[in-house]
């Protein structure tokens, strides 16, 4: 996994609204074909938000590493291919009744989305070979 945002991009991301962060995430994972999470004791890291268990994801190692250092010290950044994220990771999250949290930081929670909805969006993007947030689902 070799992609990284530049300094200007990192600074810009901090100012994005939730919808813009979601769009940024979708575009970047489609471009790089990789997704980052955190591992804790060989398991994918999850935490509780408003009574619901969620699994955070980022488009770049930099953002996952920063979250681990600032908020979740027990988590280690772990990259995966976009294909692996789509099949089987999202299906496993659906089966486990977990939510996906997009790009949380120490200062603000991430965008919450069901893994089923995210899967629909990503599959639609693959079929259309373009980014579309308004995928059916």
């Amino acid at each position: 996994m070799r992609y990284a945002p530049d300094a200007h991009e990192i600074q810009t991301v901090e100012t994005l609204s939730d919808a813009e962060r979601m769009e940024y995430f979708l575009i970047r994972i489609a471009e790089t074909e990789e997704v980052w999470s955190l591992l804790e004791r060989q398991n994918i890291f999850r935490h509780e938000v408003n009574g619901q268990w969620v699994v955070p994801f980022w488009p770049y190692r930099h953002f996952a590493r920063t979250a681990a250092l600032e908020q979740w010290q027990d988590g280690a950044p772990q990259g995966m291919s976009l294909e692996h994220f789509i099949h089987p990771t999202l299906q496993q999250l659906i089966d486990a009744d977990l939510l996906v949290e997009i790009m949380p930081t120490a200062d603000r929670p991430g965008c919450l989305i069901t893994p089923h909805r995210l899967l629909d969006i990503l599959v639609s993007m693959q079929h259309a070979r373009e980014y579309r947030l308004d995928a059916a689902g």
Side-chain angles (χ1 to χ4, degrees), residues 2 12-14 16-17 20 26-27 29 43 48 51 70 76 78 81 88 103 111 135:
R2 60 195 174 280
T12 301
V13 166
E14 294 173 5
L16 297 178
S17 68
E20 291 168 330
L26 292 170
I27 290 170
I29 66 171
N43 295 309
E48 198 171 354
E70 292 179 353
Q78 176 67 41
S81 71
M103 299 183 63
C111 308

Side-chain angles (χ1 to χ4, degrees), residues 23-41:
E23 182 175 357
Y24 173 83
F25 174 80
L26 292 170
I27 290 170
R28 289 299 183 251
I29 66 171
E31 289 176 347
T32 64
E33 296 187 0
E34 63 185 32
V35 179
W36 288 84
S37 63
L38 298 176
L39 286 185
E40 183 178 46
R41 292 183 218 83

Side-chain angles (χ1 to χ4, degrees), residues 41-96:
R41 292 183 218 83
Q42 302 301 321
N43 295 309
I44 197 163
F45 174 80
R46 64 184 181 175
H47 68 111
E48 198 171 354
V49 173
N50 299 325
Q52 175 71 44
W53 286 99
V54 303
V55 179
F57 292 97
W58 299 266
Y60 292 119
R61 180 182 188 277
H62 168 83
F63 296 122
R65 183 174 177 272
T66 300
L69 292 173
E70 292 179 353
Q71 191 169 4
W72 300 301
Q73 293 80 17
D74 293 336
Q78 176 67 41
M80 69 183 83
S81 71
L82 180 56
E83 272 306 311
H84 189 269
F85 181 62
I86 293 171
H87 307 285
T89 302
L90 287 176
Q91 187 59 52
Q92 291 168 343
L93 298 179
I94 291 168
D95 294 345

